[in-house]
Amino acid sequence: MRLNQKFYQKDAVQTAKDLLGKIIVRKYYGKTIKVKIVETEAYCGAEDKASHAYNNKKTKRTAPMFKEGGHSYIYLIYGMYYCFNVVTASENNPHAVLIRAVEPLTGIKQIKENRQIKSSRTEDLTNGPGKLSQALKINKSLDGCSLVENSSLYIIDGSAENFEINSSPRVNIDYAEEYKDKKWRFFIKNNKYISKS
DNA sequence: TTGTCGATTAGCT
DNA sequence: GCTAATCGACAAC
């Protein structure tokens, strides 16, 4: 079942943990790809120095972060990769969860078409934020859309499997001073699709 | 209008 | 471990 509005109305840290094990559904040209979320990072409100929305900085790029929980926030990084975030909490309270890695479930043929990599390892297809966006054909046209209403990108419940959640400091945010050591990166323990050990 | 640089990745040493 | 690739958002002028 699709996750409802209420699921996203929590702070980013709580939602980041709750999103582990959930399924992202991506549809285009009549094709469907499903992947399981195995790694996330929380970016938490105006106080978080690692966040693009630190100090309530609202710009053209960060505007979706100020929407109500349940919208997407997608931006271009390093001129070549997109990062996919899920906006959480309430309107004008800029929380977001970066999806860092997923495990392919269905549509692996489509994913391989989108990725075009030399490596034959399935693990290399989606084990990083830029990789999974490429794999799912996620781009600016989906920026700011509602994951509760949109029919080509949304998130559903996972299976009732049990797993253990690990946490660690977030990746590549050395500039964030006292916030860089916060353990706001969450991942499923022992899953081989996470981006780094 | 211009210059800087990033919540990354792949390929090479 | 190191670094090029490649773009638009952002801030300074």
Side-chain angles (χ1 to χ4, degrees), chain A residues 142-158:
Chain A
L142 293 162
D143 185 31
C145 77
S146 166
L147 302 173
V148 179
E149 295 169 1
N150 194 287
S151 58
S152 48
L153 179 66
Y154 54 96
I155 304 176
I156 62 176
D157 277 327

Side-chain angles (χ1 to χ4, degrees), chain A residues 174-191:
Chain A
D174 288 345
Y175 55 83
E177 300 175 27
E178 75 268 26
Y179 279 87
K180 80 179 162 67
D181 295 321
K182 299 264 183 208
K183 294 192 169 182
W184 286 347
R185 170 175 177 247
F186 304 98
F187 52 96
I188 294 178
K189 189 175 180 180
N190 293 331
N191 186 287

Side-chain angles (χ1 to χ4, degrees), chain A residues 58-85:
Chain A
K58 189 173 184 178
T59 63
K60 191 174 180 182
R61 181 176 65 152
T62 65
M65 284 188 75
F66 290 81
K67 292 190 178 192
E68 187 179 21
H71 288 84
S72 67
Y73 167 43
I74 296 161
Y75 65 92
L76 184 67
I77 187 68
Y78 298 106
M80 49 180 69
Y81 297 106
Y82 290 101
C83 286
F84 171 49
N85 296 248

Side-chain angles (χ1 to χ4, degrees), chain A residues 10-63:
Chain A
K10 299 165 287 192
D11 68 82
V13 170
Q14 185 60 50
T15 313
K17 285 187 271 194
D18 291 347
L19 276 172
L20 292 175
K22 298 293 189 289
I23 313 294
I24 299 176
V25 182
R26 170 75 174 117
K27 297 185 178 181
Y28 62 91
Y29 306 146
K31 302 178 194 295
T32 301
I33 296 174
K34 290 186 184 178
V35 296
K36 184 170 80 176
I37 299 173
V38 299
E39 180 180 341
T40 60
E41 277 181 7
Y43 289 84
C44 255
E47 295 77 37
D48 182 1
K49 291 185 180 174
S51 172
H52 291 163
Y54 171 58
N55 213 9
N56 274 321
K57 191 168 83 171
K58 189 173 184 178
T59 63
K60 191 174 180 182
R61 181 176 65 152
T62 65

Side-chain angles (χ1 to χ4, degrees), chain A residues 62-132:
Chain A
T62 65
M65 284 188 75
F66 290 81
K67 292 190 178 192
E68 187 179 21
H71 288 84
S72 67
Y73 167 43
I74 296 161
Y75 65 92
L76 184 67
I77 187 68
Y78 298 106
M80 49 180 69
Y81 297 106
Y82 290 101
C83 286
F84 171 49
N85 296 248
V86 175
V87 176
T88 80
S90 52
E91 192 174 4
N92 290 320
N93 190 7
H95 284 234
V97 176
L98 169 67
I99 310 299
R100 285 197 56 88
V102 299
E103 173 181 337
L105 297 179
T106 70
I108 293 176
K109 181 160 161 270
Q110 262 65 252
I111 290 176
K112 285 184 174 166
E113 255 174 42
N114 297 338
R115 288 277 292 136
Q116 299 286 349
I117 53 171
K118 288 181 180 173
S119 167
S120 57
R121 301 173 65 234
T122 313
E123 300 94 297
D124 290 332
L125 289 170
T126 55
N127 58 349
K131 298 181 190 180
L132 73 91

